[in-house]
Amino acid sequence: MPRVVSFHYTLRDPSGRVLDSSAGGEPISYLEGSGQIIDGLDEQLRTAAAGAKSRVTVPAKKAYGERDPAQMQHVPRAALPVEGELKIGDQFQTGPHRADPVVTVAAIEGDQVLLDANHPLAGVDLTFDVEITAAREATAEELTHGHAHKADEGGCGSGCGCGH
Ligand code: ZN
């Protein structure tokens, strides 16, 4: 039976720099095997019980993937929705929705800009310090929807956003 697991985490890159953390906020909850968190982390937490603390290292290919050179593309500077100065490292979304890919300015060559559509964490091995705060069996409804629900709200409460 898949579980719904809640955890706090601090995410670091191989140099030890903190990339993200749930500290000070709500723990993250996910349904095992549903793709709500990166595969490599999901796989390595399958046997973790509530209260467990562990350090999990996920290789890039099981996190955000290896870098793909084919994701580098030249576009005219004028085609970008950016006013004012453009700098290497600037990031913007390619569409109006949160899920639209983010591209990063990799180079500026005259009136051409080299955009990198790889995920910013592609090619990066990730280390998670994880503390499991809760683990329970998934409900039938969660299995149908393919994601975790907040136990105290029942069903797709506020913030679920799945549209069921
Ligand atoms: Zn739902």
Side-chain angles (χ1 to χ4, degrees):
M1 264 307 265
R3 303 180 301 166
V4 167
V5 178
S6 302
F7 67 104
H8 275 296
Y9 69 98
T10 298
L11 168 60
R12 292 184 176 84
D13 71 10
S15 73
R17 190 167 60 104
V18 174
L19 300 174
D20 197 8
S21 173
S22 65
E26 292 277 306
I28 305 297
S29 294
Y30 69 97
L31 172 63
E32 287 178 338
S34 68
Q36 284 190 282
I37 63 170
I38 60 173
D39 290 348
L41 184 58
D42 186 326
E43 285 171 13
Q44 293 190 58
L45 294 178
R46 287 297 165 90
T47 56
K53 290 184 183 182
S54 59
R55 171 165 288 191
V56 177
T57 298
V58 181
K61 67 178 187 322
K62 291 224 167 191
Y64 292 98
E66 301 289 0
R67 289 185 54 78
D68 176 5
Q71 297 289 316
M72 308 287 286
Q73 191 184 5
H74 282 98
V75 300
R77 166 77 172 82
L80 298 178
V82 180
E83 294 186 18
E85 199 187 345
L86 191 67
K87 300 185 303 297
I88 289 171
D90 281 354
Q91 294 184 330
F92 42 93
Q93 276 187 311
T94 52
H97 303 292
R98 252 187 79 187
D100 288 326
V102 171
V103 294
T104 304
V105 175
I108 301 168
E109 299 156 2
D111 59 1
Q112 294 283 304
V113 177
L114 181 61
L115 293 181
D116 182 356
N118 284 289
H119 189 282
L121 293 178
V124 179
D125 296 334
L126 303 177
T127 298
F128 293 87
D129 282 307
V130 172
E131 179 175 1
I132 307 292
T133 57
R136 60 174 170 79
E137 278 199 2
T139 65
E141 189 183 43
E142 287 171 324
L143 293 173
T144 303
H145 291 189
H147 54 232
H149 291 155
K150 286 184 179 169
D152 53 351
E153 289 179 7
C156 288
S158 57
C160 173
C162 81
H164 284 282

